[in-house]
Amino acid sequence: MALRSLLFLAMAAPAYAAYEWYGVVKLAHSSEYDLTIKTLDETMNLYIAEVNEGATLDVGKLDTIVDGAAAYMQTYCGTQAAHGTEIEVEGTQKCVELTMNTDTTALSTYEIHIGAHAHRRRLSGDDVYFAIFAGHGIAEWEDSSAHFLKCGAAACGDVAASADIELECVGDVDHAGHDHGRRLSGDHDHETTATCAKPSLSDGASKPVAAVALALAGLAGGLALFL
């Protein structure tokens, strides 16, 4: 297949709502986190993407990741992560299909390993912002008895072991009439969490070309077979 044909298929693929919720958290490289969710009656795609390292969230970079998230998830969420297994985030992005605990009365748990970033040293006082996209609204999978994301058994950068990882902001997702995005029940009231900011239309931060580049990331290896 010609390179032009592959690019045309990637660009022409129909867009669809691959995620129903996303939020931003601060994580640390070379750290492990515990993800705990309700056991659903179906699988759920989970996409983790590094946004930026710095004192504040780069809303332009976040907007570019959001623009390309559905296409990326449609293409790269083929790897399954079973209950009780590790999810290795070795680069800046990772998408998996979560499979649930076979004990439907118990929660489903996973370990997220954020790898060391090549050629980068974390600066004192700087945070690393990650966006997390989920194939279902958070009201469907967060359990009131357990915070969904915690630092693991060892400290995560400046965060103590076993500490809750709080949301920095929650994305405003258009569900076309069915809003799963902002409501939380029980002890985890995220309705007070800020909505993730959007870049100014005049600052040029959100660019369709950049979003397409994100969606096509990883095709390079496959395209090499045809050259």
Side-chain angles (χ1 to χ4, degrees), residues 70-112:
Y72 190 93
M73 293 175 72
Q74 182 180 12
T75 304
Y76 298 108
C77 285
T79 300
Q80 289 191 333
H83 159 70
T85 61
E86 301 172 355
I87 300 170
E88 298 284 351
V89 185
E90 297 176 342
T92 59
Q93 303 171 94
K94 183 72 172 185
C95 193
V96 295
E97 180 185 8
L98 300 180
T99 61
M100 302 295 148
N101 193 342
T102 55
D103 181 357
T104 58
T105 64
L107 298 176
S108 294
T109 60
Y110 314 84
E111 290 185 10
I112 299 175

Side-chain angles (χ1 to χ4, degrees), residues 21 33-48 81-85 87 96-112 132-150 184 188 190:
W21 176 91
Y33 298 86
D34 295 329
L35 174 68
T36 302
I37 67 172
K38 291 178 181 177
T39 295
L40 308 176
D41 58 4
E42 59 183 331
T43 63
M44 183 177 79
N45 286 347
L46 185 79
Y47 172 36
I48 302 170
H83 159 70
T85 61
I87 300 170
V96 295
E97 180 185 8
L98 300 180
T99 61
M100 302 295 148
N101 193 342
T102 55
D103 181 357
T104 58
T105 64
L107 298 176
S108 294
T109 60
Y110 314 84
E111 290 185 10
I112 299 175
I132 300 176
F133 297 81
H136 297 294
I138 193 169
E140 298 177 58
W141 51 262
E142 187 181 44
D143 189 80
S144 61
S145 67
H147 195 78
F148 80 93
L149 189 63
K150 290 178 174 285
L184 269 239
H188 311 301
H190 296 310

Side-chain angles (χ1 to χ4, degrees), residues 116-121:
H117 205 298
H119 309 299
R120 174 181 290 181
R121 181 177 66 185

Side-chain angles (χ1 to χ4, degrees), residues 55-213:
T56 59
L57 175 65
D58 187 325
V59 296
K61 288 184 178 180
L62 174 62
D63 199 53
T64 297
I65 290 171
V66 171
D67 284 346
Y72 190 93
M73 293 175 72
Q74 182 180 12
T75 304
Y76 298 108
C77 285
T79 300
Q80 289 191 333
H83 159 70
T85 61
E86 301 172 355
I87 300 170
E88 298 284 351
V89 185
E90 297 176 342
T92 59
Q93 303 171 94
K94 183 72 172 185
C95 193
V96 295
E97 180 185 8
L98 300 180
T99 61
M100 302 295 148
N101 193 342
T102 55
D103 181 357
T104 58
T105 64
L107 298 176
S108 294
T109 60
Y110 314 84
E111 290 185 10
I112 299 175
H113 293 186
I114 305 296
H117 205 298
H119 309 299
R120 174 181 290 181
R121 181 177 66 185
R122 184 176 184 271
L123 301 178
S124 177
D126 282 351
D127 297 302
V128 187
Y129 292 90
F130 283 80
I132 300 176
F133 297 81
H136 297 294
I138 193 169
E140 298 177 58
W141 51 262
E142 187 181 44
D143 189 80
S144 61
S145 67
H147 195 78
F148 80 93
L149 189 63
K150 290 178 174 285
C151 178
C156 303
D158 299 330
V159 177
S162 302
D164 292 349
I165 304 300
E166 301 293 349
L167 288 164
E168 299 298 312
C169 65
V170 174
D172 186 9
V173 180
D174 180 7
H175 298 292
H178 59 284
D179 180 11
H180 301 289
R182 295 302 304 271
R183 187 221 65 82
L184 269 239
S185 62
D187 298 331
H188 311 301
D189 182 10
H190 296 310
E191 290 188 358
T192 59
T193 303
T195 300
C196 295
K198 294 284 188 179
S200 168
L201 293 177
S202 63
D203 66 9
S206 178
K207 298 181 182 300
V209 171
V212 170

